Amino acid sequence: MSDMAAEPTAATAELPRAKTDWLPLLLVPALALLALPFVGSPSTWVTLTVAGLAMGMMIFLMASGLTLVFGLMDIINFGHGVFISLGAYATLLVLGPLAGWALSDSIGLNLALLGLCILVAMGVTALAGAVFERVIVRPVYGSHLKQILVTMGGLIVTEQLIHAIWGASPIPIPLPQSLRGAFVFGDIVMERYRVVAVVIGLAVFLGMELLLNRTRIGLLIRAGVENPEMVEALGYRIRRLFVSVFIAGSALAGLGGVMWAFYRQTLTAGMGMEVMVLVFIVIIIGGLGSITGCFVGSLLVALVANYVGFIEPKLALISNILVMALVLIWRPQGLFPVARR
């Protein structure tokens, strides 16, 4: 088995890389420049843009795991939102014993607290994802209708477990002291936490791009998206790869849950489901299984919502649907189609 696996790896490593499609990547800067004359004030435009980028990064963190699961495993996981909620509640495991760190003026302690919350949340949701896949998802591989039903059932059960452990009442959580307030540059105002969200989102995106495009695991994942039967025939256990992707997707949902929790500063068991429609819109816009598409789609949706909300508030509620419709008219499989299902 090891010899058989080594030969395909060497062979597939020599395959030429697909050419980068630059046109969808230009949509975000083009949208920002197009909005400038409508917004009017350059300082207001910068503030709206930074706020939109930060929101886009949080949406990306919550959606990136699901697009891999959806694209690679062909699983419609309607229970993904509960992993966002579970990651948010996992912050309490850190904030409880380290509450003093959140109140400290030390930026080092505040960032360390945020990092610990992220690590614990990713660990909790990764473990929950492994159990969820084994008990709920695995018996219904290949049947989308059953997947919808059982993952919705798993969502309800897990939400009730959150109520049983932490109670049904909303729980306020403090934003670390040094992440409150805003940076002010003349007339430009940028909230500190939004800037941190942009940095974390970019770091996760670059890390995932390197993993998927520069490592053997990434090669197998991309091959599994295109042709899982071929990967299995070459001697790799595609099922183990599927489970690993599901666990990683759940951990990313936990990371997104932490960022979403500190942004809202209130925990509720249904907070993950509140953003699931937006998550699915982003995945459809970007293309199933595409991390780059998910990243660009998240930024497009968030920036359009910000700009439209400022220029014409009545249209803000339907701006996401309009973006999705326009993209699908242009590219029915999304901006960066990967999975051909």
Side-chain angles (χ1 to χ4, degrees), residues 245-304:
V245 169
F246 193 93
I247 292 173
S250 302
L252 286 171
L255 169 56
V258 173
M259 301 306 295
W260 188 235
F262 280 116
Y263 175 76
R264 295 174 82 246
Q265 299 186 49
T266 303
L267 302 180
T268 60
M271 62 187 297
M273 287 306 298
E274 294 173 3
V275 296
M276 280 307 294
V277 172
L278 200 56
V279 166
F280 275 108
I281 288 175
V282 164
I283 292 173
I284 293 169
I285 289 174
L288 302 182
S290 171
I291 292 299
T292 302
C294 181
F295 182 78
V296 174
S298 299
L299 296 183
L300 278 177
V301 165
L303 286 173
V304 167

Side-chain angles (χ1 to χ4, degrees), residues 173-219:
I173 62 170
L175 187 64
Q177 187 69 33
S178 62
L179 301 184
R180 302 174 187 175
F183 298 110
V184 180
F185 305 97
D187 294 331
I188 300 172
V189 179
M190 296 185 293
E191 292 183 29
R192 295 178 181 179
Y193 182 71
R194 291 180 184 267
V195 174
V196 172
V198 170
V199 172
I200 292 176
L202 283 174
V204 171
F205 170 67
L206 293 175
M208 294 181 71
E209 281 291 300
L210 289 175
L211 176 66
L212 291 173
N213 296 305
R214 303 293 181 182
T215 66
R216 178 179 297 182
I217 293 296
L219 174 65

Side-chain angles (χ1 to χ4, degrees), residues 24-33 53 295-296 299-300 303:
L25 296 176
L26 298 177
L27 289 177
V28 173
L31 170 66
L33 292 176
L53 290 176
F295 182 78
V296 174
L299 296 183
L300 278 177
L303 286 173

Side-chain angles (χ1 to χ4, degrees), residues 97-159:
L98 300 177
W101 288 21
L103 301 176
S104 171
D105 291 329
S106 169
I107 188 171
L109 286 179
N110 289 170
L111 291 178
L113 178 67
L114 180 61
L116 284 174
C117 288
I118 289 173
L119 291 176
V120 170
M122 293 183 73
V124 169
T125 52
L127 179 60
V131 175
F132 198 88
E133 189 278 337
R134 181 65 182 88
V135 176
I136 296 176
V137 175
R138 189 172 298 183
V140 293
Y141 279 135
S143 175
H144 286 165
L145 178 59
K146 291 180 180 178
Q147 289 167 11
I148 294 172
L149 294 175
V150 300
T151 55
M152 285 296 293
L155 162 70
I156 295 170
V157 170
T158 309
E159 278 194 358

Side-chain angles (χ1 to χ4, degrees), residues 17 29 36 51-52 74 85 239 281 335:
R17 290 183 176 274
L36 177 55
D74 197 25
S85 299
R239 179 59 59 83
I281 288 175
L335 295 175

